[in-house]
């Protein structure tokens, strides 16, 4: 379903600026200005381009500001209008991916290695074996599957097989879009190392760190002229990787390198422009394997996520009402009251000066996930309500900003301190002088701390938006939908929220809002799939 565009002042001023220089007049100029405003707003909504009609394309052809790909502010290609930068990202990425997708390797004894690792012939893990075979024989391998389908354990087997075939000489890098996702990837890989033949422990890092941040620049140290040294690059949570980042990553791979992308094609697409993983899965079936057996989920959560993903609102709602499904259900009390009680054991650990590992584990066991930011049922309202609930019960959440136990979400990148949008820290007293410090878990499992005044922009994080929760998992989630329909509500949003939980899902929402969300399916305008095909 196509959502209505929301226009900002920037959209209008940008459109007016180009319209004043387009050389068109009258109605044709107005159409041009409207298209540019729509394009600008579409970019903010996550699209990489704007579809245009033949009549609109004819009008755009009448100005020197538009070309078929030359150095002009706007580009029209295959019936789509682009900003030049994003046309470059998309067309360059498509060309590179096409080349990678067609590159194959001859691996001696590949069948014997696969049979030794997975067993001969088809079986329960046949999809995992097929993914491993694809990764061994092709430069590009895309492994899609929902949470708990064994993506990480499969890739650990793949790395082990590749190392065996290469005599242990391969240089392998693991990366993810966010620090939290990188840490989860590291933990998952370490959890699989003891059960399958594999190389020694592999560090995981953010894509920013992998590519090498350059201060005050959107470019990275590693690029086509200075490629990455790795023979194999594995990227987890690939659905979160936007068009610009994926283009820069592929651009930085050295010739002949393998790229393995792991992700869930049914999750929300990246916050920024594009829906790269979905486009790749649809356009490159020979390079894609979808894992279909779930190993980790509670059966009720698995069933609920499947019904949500299918858009079967009736069946999903009945599951939430069914008392037999004890790990999924509807919340019948105010969400802030339930959440406040769930956070009390965590706050007790903080007050009792428990070690930081226990504090982080307690906090990460539960999270409120909201569809929207504003309003009483949005992130801002829920965070404030939880603080008030805890404050009334004796916890020091109201008298000062930096109270012990305050969780914070970083919302802007700070490359100097290696803190990135989406990182979560917890305010705890300094063991030495008791002054407030904010502690962060690193991808390698260690902790680091910062003085509060040195942090980039951050906000309280008892509640997160569903978008910000991507790349994370919790034992239990409380999903809070708004009281009225919003454009952000979609099947993908509810699916992503439900699949953040390992053991329990509670929903706080009206039936009609829930049904409307499952009817709405996100459409991202992109030309990448057509370019690939």
């Amino acid at each position: 379903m196509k959502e209505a565009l929301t226009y900002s002042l920037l959209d209008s001023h940008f459109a007016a600026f180009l319209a004043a220089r387009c050389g068109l007049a009258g109605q044709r100029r107005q159409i041009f200005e409207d298209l540019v405003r729509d394009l600008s707003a579409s970019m903010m909504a996550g699209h990489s381009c704007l579809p245009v009609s033949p009549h609109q394309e004819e009008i755009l052809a009448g100005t020197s500001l538009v070309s078929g790909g030359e150095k002009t502010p706007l580009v029209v290609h295959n019936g789509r209008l682009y900003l030049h930068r994003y046309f470059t990202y998309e067309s360059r990425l498509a060309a590179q991916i096409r080349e990678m997708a067609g590159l194959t390797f001859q691996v001696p004894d590949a069948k014997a290695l696969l049979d030794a690792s997975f067993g001969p012939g088809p079986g329960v893990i046949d999809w995992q074996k097929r993914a491993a075979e694809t990764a061994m024989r092709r430069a590009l391998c895309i492994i899609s599957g929902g949470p708990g389908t064994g993506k990480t354990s499969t890739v650990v087997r793949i790395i082990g097989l590749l190392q065996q075939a290469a005599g242990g000489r391969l240089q392998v890098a693991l990366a993810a879009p966010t620090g939290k996702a990188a840490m989860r990837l590291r933990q998952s890989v370490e959890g699989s190392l003891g059960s399958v033949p594999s190389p020694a422990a592999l560090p995981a890092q953010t894509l920013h760190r992998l590519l090498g941040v350059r201060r005050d620049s959107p470019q990275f140290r590693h690029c086509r002229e200075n490629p990455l040294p790795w023979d194999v690059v594995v990227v987890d949570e690939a659905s979160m990787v936007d068009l610009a980042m994926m283009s820069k990553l592929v651009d930085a791979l050295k010739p002949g390198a393998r790229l393995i992308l792991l992700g869930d094609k049914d999750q929300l697409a990246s916050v920024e422009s594009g829906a790269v993983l979905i486009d790749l899965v649809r356009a490159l079936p020979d390079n894609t394997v979808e894992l279909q057996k779930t190993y980790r989920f509670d059966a009720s959560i698995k069933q609920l996520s499947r019904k949500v993903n299918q858009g079967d609102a009736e069946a999903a709602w009945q599951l939430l009402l069914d008392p037999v499904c004890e790990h999924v259900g509807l919340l019948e009390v105010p969400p802030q009251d339930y959440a406040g009680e769930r956070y009390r054991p965590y706050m007790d650990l903080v007050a009792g000066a428990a070690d930081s590992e226990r504090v982080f584990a307690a906090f990460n066991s539960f999270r409120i996930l909201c569809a929207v930011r504003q309003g009483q049922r949005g992130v801002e309202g829920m965070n404030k309500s939880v603080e008030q609930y805890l404050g009334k019960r004796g916890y020091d959440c109201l008298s000062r900003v930096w109270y012990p136990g305050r969780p914070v979400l970083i919302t802007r990148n700070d490359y100097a301190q290696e803190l990135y949008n989406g990182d979560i820290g917890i305010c705890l007293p300094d063991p030495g002088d008791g002054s407030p410090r904010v502690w962060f878990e690193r991808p390698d499992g260690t902790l680091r701390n910062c003085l509060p005044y040195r942090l980039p922009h951050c906000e309280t994080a008892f509640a997160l938006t569903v978008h910000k929760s991507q790349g994370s998992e919790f034992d239990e989630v409380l999903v809070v939908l708004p009281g009225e329909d919003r454009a952000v509500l979609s099947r993908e949003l509810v699916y992503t929220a439900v699949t953040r939980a390992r053991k329990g899902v509670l929903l706080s929402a009206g039936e009609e809002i829930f049904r409307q969300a499952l009817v709405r399916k996100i459409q991202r305008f992109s030309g990448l799939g057509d370019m690939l095909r």
Side-chain angles (χ1 to χ4, degrees), residues 26-283:
Q27 186 180 16
R28 296 171 73 84
R29 172 172 166 169
Q30 186 60 56
I31 291 173
F32 174 85
E33 184 172 345
D34 291 343
L35 285 172
V36 175
R37 185 171 59 252
D38 284 351
L39 174 61
S40 181
S42 294
M43 298 297 297
M44 292 302 296
H47 307 289
S48 64
C49 56
L50 179 73
V52 291
S53 67
H55 175 61
Q56 292 168 331
E57 194 168 344
E58 184 269 327
I59 291 173
L60 291 166
T63 170
S64 60
L65 299 180
V66 180
S67 71
E70 289 73 39
K71 292 185 178 180
T72 54
L74 303 173
V75 171
V76 171
H77 181 79
N78 282 349
R80 299 177 178 92
L81 177 64
Y82 292 85
L83 293 177
H84 186 275
R85 175 185 293 183
Y86 285 86
F87 173 74
T88 300
Y89 285 146
E90 204 163 87
S91 57
R92 190 163 168 175
L93 176 61
Q96 292 168 321
I97 288 290
R98 279 200 309 270
E99 182 177 353
M100 283 194 73
L103 179 61
T104 59
F105 300 97
Q106 294 299 320
V107 180
D109 300 322
K111 185 178 185 305
L113 289 171
L114 287 164
D115 287 347
S117 181
F118 292 93
V124 158
I125 53 176
D126 184 47
W127 290 107
Q128 295 186 9
K129 185 175 182 180
R130 186 176 299 183
E133 182 178 10
T134 301
M136 292 181 74
R137 298 190 184 280
R138 293 182 176 271
L140 175 65
C141 177
I142 305 158
I143 303 175
S144 178
T149 52
K151 296 188 293 294
T152 307
S153 61
T154 301
V155 86
V156 169
R157 287 177 181 265
I158 289 169
I159 293 169
L161 290 169
L162 291 173
Q163 289 287 25
Q164 290 180 61
R169 297 186 302 272
L170 289 180
Q171 297 295 310
V172 181
L174 304 179
T178 66
K180 188 68 176 178
M183 184 170 62
R184 274 193 54 232
L185 175 60
R186 179 192 64 82
Q187 292 168 342
S188 297
V189 166
E190 288 182 353
S192 300
L193 288 176
S195 59
V196 297
S198 59
L202 294 165
Q205 55 192 313
T206 63
L207 285 171
H208 285 85
R209 186 161 187 158
L210 177 79
L211 293 171
V213 170
R214 298 171 63 183
R215 293 187 65 177
D216 304 319
S217 171
Q219 305 304 317
F220 294 99
R221 289 200 307 272
H222 290 290
C223 56
R224 180 179 295 182
E225 292 73 30
N226 180 32
L228 292 162
W230 312 104
D231 301 302
V232 182
V233 175
V234 179
V235 180
D236 197 15
E237 297 291 349
S239 65
M240 298 171 62
V241 183
D242 62 82
L243 174 63
M245 178 62 82
M246 188 66 80
S247 178
K248 292 171 184 178
L249 170 65
V250 173
D251 199 46
L253 296 175
K254 72 177 185 180
R258 283 178 167 90
L259 176 63
I260 302 174
L261 301 177
L262 311 177
D264 185 348
K265 64 179 178 57
D266 297 315
Q267 276 188 199
L268 285 166
S270 60
V271 175
E272 303 297 333
S273 296
V276 178
L277 182 66
I278 297 173
D279 287 337
L280 296 183
V281 167
R282 290 172 177 170

Side-chain angles (χ1 to χ4, degrees), residues 464-491:
L464 301 175
T465 62
V466 177
H467 277 91
K468 291 291 187 183
S469 74
Q470 287 181 271
S472 299
E473 284 186 351
F474 314 98
D475 287 341
E476 180 188 350
V477 298
L478 169 59
V479 183
V480 181
L481 302 186
E484 63 285 329
D485 190 24
R486 302 282 188 89
V488 71
L489 293 176
S490 68
R491 184 184 308 174

Side-chain angles (χ1 to χ4, degrees), residues 221-428:
R221 289 200 307 272
H222 290 290
C223 56
R224 180 179 295 182
E225 292 73 30
N226 180 32
L228 292 162
W230 312 104
D231 301 302
V232 182
V233 175
V234 179
V235 180
D236 197 15
E237 297 291 349
S239 65
M240 298 171 62
V241 183
D242 62 82
L243 174 63
M245 178 62 82
M246 188 66 80
S247 178
K248 292 171 184 178
L249 170 65
V250 173
D251 199 46
L253 296 175
K254 72 177 185 180
R258 283 178 167 90
L259 176 63
I260 302 174
L261 301 177
L262 311 177
D264 185 348
K265 64 179 178 57
D266 297 315
Q267 276 188 199
L268 285 166
S270 60
V271 175
E272 303 297 333
S273 296
V276 178
L277 182 66
I278 297 173
D279 287 337
L280 296 183
V281 167
R282 290 172 177 170
L284 302 172
D286 292 341
N287 299 79
T288 301
V289 178
E290 184 172 0
L291 304 182
Q292 299 179 14
K293 181 176 174 59
T294 303
Y295 298 92
R296 186 179 67 237
F297 264 171
D298 169 85
S300 299
I301 300 176
K302 177 181 177 180
Q303 195 173 3
L304 177 62
S305 64
R306 181 178 296 161
K307 296 303 179 184
V308 168
N309 194 28
Q310 294 169 347
D312 191 342
E314 178 63 31
W317 188 256
Q318 290 305 315
L319 279 172
L320 292 166
L321 294 175
D322 189 347
V324 175
C325 299
E326 58 181 350
H327 296 126
V328 301
L330 291 172
L331 185 67
E332 297 179 355
V333 299
Q336 62 270 22
D337 293 355
Y338 179 83
E341 284 299 311
R342 283 291 281 106
Y343 279 122
R344 289 186 72 172
Y346 156 73
M347 294 297 289
D348 287 340
L349 286 175
V350 172
D355 64 80
S356 54
E357 185 175 339
R358 289 181 64 199
V359 168
F360 270 93
F363 180 66
N364 289 329
S365 68
F366 171 76
R367 200 60 47 88
I368 312 165
L369 303 182
C370 301
V372 297
R373 288 188 52 79
Q374 284 80 34
Q376 185 177 359
R377 298 177 64 84
V379 165
E380 294 174 0
M382 289 303 302
N383 277 319
K384 185 176 180 180
S385 295
V386 169
E387 286 180 323
Q388 291 173 342
Y389 185 94
L390 293 172
K392 291 176 181 178
R393 282 149 185 83
Y395 301 97
D396 186 13
C397 301
L398 303 176
S399 62
R400 47 182 167 160
V401 174
W402 291 105
Y403 55 83
R406 182 192 177 196
V408 294
L409 172 77
I410 300 298
T411 59
R412 291 180 189 164
N413 294 333
D414 186 330
Y415 298 120
Q417 297 194 79
E418 296 186 356
L419 291 173
Y420 302 108
N421 185 359
D423 289 351
I424 288 182
I426 295 176
C427 182
L428 297 170

